[in-house]
Amino acid sequence: MASTILKPATQPPPTSHVLLTYPAPYVLLVTINRERQMNSIPFAGHTEMGQIFDWFDREPNLRVAIITGAGKKAFCAGQDLIELGKIRQGTVEKDVAKQRHPLSGFGGVSRRAGKKPIIAAVNGFALGGGFEIVLGCDMVVASPTATFGLPEALRGIFAGAGGPPRLVRNVGLPIASEMALTGRPITAQRAKELNLVNRISPSPDTVVDEALKLANDIAAISPDAAIVTRAALKEAWEQGSVERATQLVIERFDRDLTTGENALEGLKAFAEKRKPEWKASKL
């Protein structure tokens, strides 16, 4: 049965900054594994994570991902400022080609277009680039102890991984201005009030479990439908016109979706009053 498939069909890229696990069928869990460094991400980690999420989009046995941080204190504290300081001081050789973010942004997520949804399981503070990762995710589950903020302006720099404009889209200009220009973090409860968070877990220990509930719901639907529905949502978020967003998604996906085997299977299973047997997406 398809539901017994737990592992990917292809080999993931090698990792040294994140851990990859598969907690449920079709679900990838990516854990930023730098607890001692508050899960801050060095430049090599950004490249690695970008490669992981590119692979995730291509992997036929994966439909949804969860991203979290190791430990209970930090989801991600942003850029590894120790490494950045060494580069600027000249104690680490500057390499422009390697010391930058991938096109998909901070942690391979903050500016990601992608195909498949990612859920943030925010287990602690998400600051700077860590918050920008959250803003690039499709859904967010937060620990009751989580905090969110963009402190860059307090350090004389700018949150340049796509966070500020996405924050404006989500909460409006006045709230985004307060957060970005004062650098003050907000609590998980305040983030939920602002619709930055889908739900708050009952305890810090259950944040990944709560995210997994959402992931399992997504994994249960047609993978084709998940890809196209997400595209419609993302285009509406990115485009100034909701109608143009609809047009773009129809032009890109409508024929292949409606004539694909998963659409046919979904209608057939409905008529036969049975659970559909989805195939890996070919979109």
Side-chain angles (χ1 to χ4, degrees), residues 1-4 25-26 63 216-222 262 264-279:
M1 296 291 289
S3 61
T4 62
Y26 309 112
R63 301 177 182 175
N216 285 333
D217 287 342
I218 297 167
I221 70 171
S222 160
N262 281 322
L264 298 175
E265 168 63 8
L267 295 173
K268 186 178 180 182
F270 176 78
E272 296 173 358
K273 298 182 179 179
R274 61 173 174 79
K275 185 177 179 180
E277 295 288 341
W278 305 120
K279 305 297 184 183

Side-chain angles (χ1 to χ4, degrees), residues 13 21 55 59 63 73 80 125 145 154 175 190 194 200 209 257-258:
T21 53
W55 166 78
E59 167 51 49
R63 301 177 182 175
K73 189 171 184 179
D80 184 341
F125 52 76
T145 61
L154 300 177
I175 297 296
R190 179 58 174 154
L194 293 171
I200 299 173
D209 292 337
L257 173 68
T258 56

Side-chain angles (χ1 to χ4, degrees), residues 5 8 11 84 87 112 153-154 187 196 200 208 218 229 237 245 263:
I5 298 174
Q11 188 70 20
L84 189 61
I87 293 168
R112 172 181 177 265
L154 300 177
T187 65
L196 291 169
I200 299 173
V208 172
I218 297 167
T229 300
W237 191 55

Side-chain angles (χ1 to χ4, degrees), residues 74-231:
F75 170 77
C76 174
Q79 183 70 32
D80 184 341
L81 297 182
I82 302 299
E83 178 192 57
L84 189 61
K86 290 178 179 179
I87 293 168
R88 292 183 176 175
Q89 293 164 14
T91 56
V92 170
E93 184 179 357
K94 189 171 185 178
D95 187 334
V96 176
K98 294 181 179 179
Q99 293 162 354
R100 62 182 180 181
H101 300 156
L103 292 177
S104 50
F106 198 96
V109 178
S110 71
R111 299 176 63 193
R112 172 181 177 265
K115 289 199 310 181
K116 301 174 186 178
I118 300 176
I119 302 169
V122 186
N123 55 302
F125 52 76
L127 300 177
F131 187 29
E132 292 182 285
I133 288 176
V134 172
L135 291 166
C137 288
D138 299 277
M139 285 172 268
V140 183
V141 178
S143 162
T145 61
T147 57
F148 305 83
L150 293 173
E152 283 86 348
L154 300 177
R155 313 287 179 257
I157 55 177
F158 160 67
R166 286 165 172 79
L167 187 60
V168 170
R169 285 278 187 175
N170 286 355
V171 303
L173 183 60
I175 297 296
S177 296
E178 180 180 348
M179 291 187 67
L181 292 174
T182 69
R184 284 196 293 268
I186 60 173
T187 65
Q189 184 58 46
R190 179 58 174 154
K192 190 170 187 302
E193 292 168 359
L194 293 171
N195 292 327
L196 291 169
V197 166
N198 293 73
R199 59 184 69 172
I200 299 173
S201 63
S203 73
D205 294 328
T206 59
V207 65
V208 172
D209 292 337
E210 287 295 312
L212 190 56
K213 292 177 184 178
L214 283 174
N216 285 333
D217 287 342
I218 297 167
I221 70 171
S222 160
D224 292 341
I227 288 169
V228 179
T229 300
R230 177 186 181 273

